[in-house]
Amino acid sequence: MSSLTSKLLNPNLKTLTPYESARRLFSGGTDWLNANESPFCNELEVEVTAYNRYPDCQPQGLIDAYANYAQVKADNVLATRGADEGIELLIRTFCEYNKDSILICPPTYGMYKISAQTSGINTVEVPLKEDFSLDIEGIKAIDKVNIVFLCSPNNPTGTLLDKNDITQLLTHFADSALVVLDEAYVEFSPQQNWATLLETFPNLVVLRTLSKAFALAGLRCGFTLANPAIIQSLLKTIAPYPISAPVAQIAQKALSVEGVALMREQVNYLAEEQTRVRHILSNKAGFSLKGGTEANFILFQYTYRTQLMQYLVANGMLIRDQSKQCGLTDCLRMTIGSREQNDRFLLLIDNYLNDSGEVA
Ligand SMILES: *Cc1c(COP(=O)(O)O)cnc(C)c1O
């Protein structure tokens, strides 16, 4: 690094490694089962013809469409560049630089901590218990945090958090902290839906995205759902034109009656594939399934995970190593792809086992 950049670099960033997104880690490959994307490439044509005007900060048609889909009011909805921007806005809006803290429960999604670090905010970690449930006593023992990030269904465990546990935390932090429930995978597990409880819990925030079940990761469109006072505060921090005109149009189309019906069909397909792949994988020598089925991926443990990963990468099959996360020794995460991709994944594992003679 040049002496000028190292002299000027924000001290909070000196030790930071940027988020190792699946796309940053591996750029090649033929089968991308490493970022929980959808295998479906839906056609969504746009009618935007004029680009000379700035878009609305919060395009009304898009806000209304998501409010209708999530069954909340329009003033409960903030549209962002992916759920990731929602995470960052919450931290920048509700935490004070070099003073405040957020709380996370690993193993979980990596961006909460990275966003906190880049914003000069401390992260307190209270790991999930061995069965991936919340350590309620451990969380309650933490003195002062401004935001509690919970992920349910959780990435990368595919498990739901217990409803009563979440309620307890919402009550415990009622006067001191926001409780953010990241529901990026809610469409794969519709039995819980916290968006309908915003009026009951004024400190509840729900994060949503079009990147997973809606098959629009490339669009960069997510939503933060909360009470109007929280949404109004976030509007102080958000960029003036975060949602480009074509993004708003495409997202609105995806949220139409036909768009939602297509999404549900595709979610069913992925659920069937998940059941099938889990069954086959669990019967392979040395492989053990971890976590749950509430999202679009499978977490599994395999002792020779490094060798297996290398073999898969060499054959263009990309999955994600989760073994650095607490409690996930030797764990890998495979996103459910198309039937053909899943079969190729399973075939490569058989080939690997035959070639290497390794079992655990
Ligand atoms: C993928 C993911 C996100 C990010 O979604 P974007 O809308 O693509 O930014 C947020 N939270 C979790 C838990 C995720 O898995």
Side-chain angles (χ1 to χ4, degrees), residues 35-36 81-85 87 109 112 151 153-155 182 184-185 208-212 217 220-222:
N36 300 344
R81 288 167 285 201
D84 280 350
E85 188 184 33
I87 295 168
Y109 185 54
Y112 314 128
C151 190
N154 187 34
N155 176 6
D182 186 338
Y185 299 95
R208 297 286 190 82
T209 180
L210 299 185
S211 297
K212 307 288 160 62
R220 309 309 302 128
C221 187

Side-chain angles (χ1 to χ4, degrees), residues 188-204:
F188 299 100
S189 175
Q191 69 259 36
Q192 278 190 35
N193 168 2
W194 288 85
T196 55
L197 294 168
L198 293 175
E199 276 173 29
T200 316
F201 301 108
N203 60 333
L204 171 64

Side-chain angles (χ1 to χ4, degrees), residues 57-225:
C57 174
Q58 292 288 294
Q60 198 60 48
L62 176 61
I63 296 299
D64 290 342
Y66 202 81
N68 177 53
Y69 167 71
Q71 296 186 290
V72 296
K73 300 199 185 91
D75 62 1
N76 293 129
V77 181
L78 183 79
T80 57
R81 288 167 285 201
D84 280 350
E85 188 184 33
I87 295 168
E88 186 184 322
L89 290 175
L90 283 160
I91 291 173
R92 283 171 50 216
T93 308
F94 293 104
C95 298
E96 192 179 333
Y97 182 76
N98 276 356
K99 181 168 162 254
D100 291 332
S101 304
I102 64 160
L103 189 152
I104 65 169
C105 303
T108 193
Y109 185 54
M111 277 307 291
Y112 314 128
K113 190 173 179 174
I114 302 261
S115 264
Q117 265 177 299
T118 55
S119 310
I121 303 302
N122 183 45
T123 301
V124 180
E125 300 189 20
V126 180
L128 295 174
K129 295 197 243 176
E130 211 169 319
D131 63 355
F132 302 132
S133 66
L134 288 168
D135 175 3
I136 295 294
E137 295 318 309
I139 294 172
K140 284 184 177 170
I142 300 299
D143 228 11
K144 194 190 170 305
V145 294
N146 289 39
I147 307 176
V148 178
F149 281 98
L150 306 177
C151 190
S152 182
N154 187 34
N155 176 6
T157 61
T159 46
L160 268 182
L161 296 175
D162 181 74
K163 207 166 181 169
N164 295 327
D165 283 354
I166 296 173
T167 306
Q168 267 200 62
L169 293 183
L170 282 161
T171 310
H172 177 80
F173 289 105
D175 298 317
S176 62
L178 298 181
V179 175
V180 178
L181 218 72
D182 186 338
E183 289 191 336
Y185 299 95
V186 72
E187 286 86 5
F188 299 100
S189 175
Q191 69 259 36
Q192 278 190 35
N193 168 2
W194 288 85
T196 55
L197 294 168
L198 293 175
E199 276 173 29
T200 316
F201 301 108
N203 60 333
L204 171 64
V205 179
V206 175
L207 292 173
R208 297 286 190 82
T209 180
L210 299 185
S211 297
K212 307 288 160 62
F214 280 95
L216 288 172
L219 194 65
R220 309 309 302 128
C221 187
F223 300 90
T224 301
L225 312 178

